Amino acid sequence: QRVEGQLGQQSRAFGVEPGAKLILVTGRLLRRKGHHLVVQAVHRLKQMGLKDFVCVFAGEDHGKSRYTGELWDLVLATKTADVVRMTGPVDDLPAAYAAASVVVSAATQDEGLQRTILEAQAMARPVIVSDLGAGPEVVLAPPSVSEDRMTGLRFSAGDDAALAAALIRLFSLPEPARRAIGARGRDWVTSHFDASAIADLTLKLYAEAARSR
């Protein structure tokens, strides 16, 4: 009950109504992270008539206020202000991951090993990543693997239409299927990455959450 209460509190903080889906993007607000592509993809979802979802950018801009301003301009231009939230750093990042329906990385440059994608999968969240956001050693995605083995979906970097299609594909799955994808992601991360590294990752995650309180 305590965990459910924390998740409900986090969802309310994000402005997510009960039953709505949460698209979560963590990490710094930088152009190479592709937040603008996520806004464009969200705009496509709205044009398709998709309802009951919220997209949250949970991260700092570290002084990159020009890009943040451009993002707000894009949000206003695409009329997505009703579903896009820029929260800054969250107090309880593990709860944010747990509340998410999907965690997205839309990186437009090679990111190497992204900690946020490992964190999301360790929290049993389905992920959608660009082909520059995470490699096949991190996210198992069709057509490289069969759908019964996938831990997420991959799309071509810079292609907001492909990102929107991936989101639609994931959201169209029954809830048990989405949970199974998340569970496989957690199993993949814990079995293919050094246990001490995973422990260190988890400790850092909670330490950052504690510092932000």
Side-chain angles (χ1 to χ4, degrees), residues 1-182:
Q1 290 181 341
R2 181 180 178 184
V3 172
E4 290 179 357
Q6 289 176 319
L7 296 184
Q9 184 178 13
Q10 187 64 71
S11 295
R12 288 191 295 274
F14 286 154
V16 181
E17 297 294 331
K21 295 178 176 63
L22 170 58
I23 303 167
L24 181 65
V25 183
T26 60
R28 293 176 294 170
L29 293 177
L30 297 171
R31 190 180 305 278
R32 62 183 173 82
K33 299 287 188 180
H35 294 79
H36 54 288
L37 293 168
V38 179
V39 174
Q40 292 164 343
V42 165
H43 177 53
R44 289 181 180 273
L45 297 184
K46 286 194 65 177
Q47 287 183 316
M48 294 175 192
L50 188 68
K51 299 179 180 179
D52 300 325
F53 75 94
V54 170
C55 177
V56 172
F57 295 154
E60 294 182 286
D61 64 8
H62 289 280
K64 305 292 185 181
S65 55
R66 179 176 178 179
Y67 181 58
T68 303
E70 291 176 7
L71 281 177
W72 276 121
D73 288 344
L74 182 60
V75 166
L76 294 174
T78 55
K79 295 182 171 59
T80 53
D82 58 327
V83 293
V84 174
R85 314 275 191 270
M86 296 189 199
T87 66
V90 297
D91 290 338
D92 192 343
L93 193 53
Y97 281 126
S101 306
V102 59
V103 177
V104 172
S105 169
T108 59
Q109 297 179 24
D110 191 355
E111 288 286 281
L113 186 62
Q114 275 203 81
R115 192 183 75 181
T116 57
I117 296 303
L118 290 178
E119 290 173 349
Q121 291 188 111
M123 292 291 295
R125 296 302 91 188
V127 296
I128 296 178
V129 299
S130 75
D131 51 12
L132 296 178
E137 75 283 357
V138 177
V139 178
L140 302 179
S144 300
V145 299
S146 59
E147 293 203 2
D148 62 352
R149 291 185 58 215
M150 73 178 186
T151 64
L153 296 171
R154 188 174 287 108
F155 68 97
S156 297
D159 189 342
D160 61 276
L163 173 54
L167 286 164
I168 289 290
R169 180 178 178 184
L170 186 69
F171 288 162
S172 68
L173 295 173
E175 179 62 27
R178 291 199 300 271
R179 285 199 299 266
I181 292 171

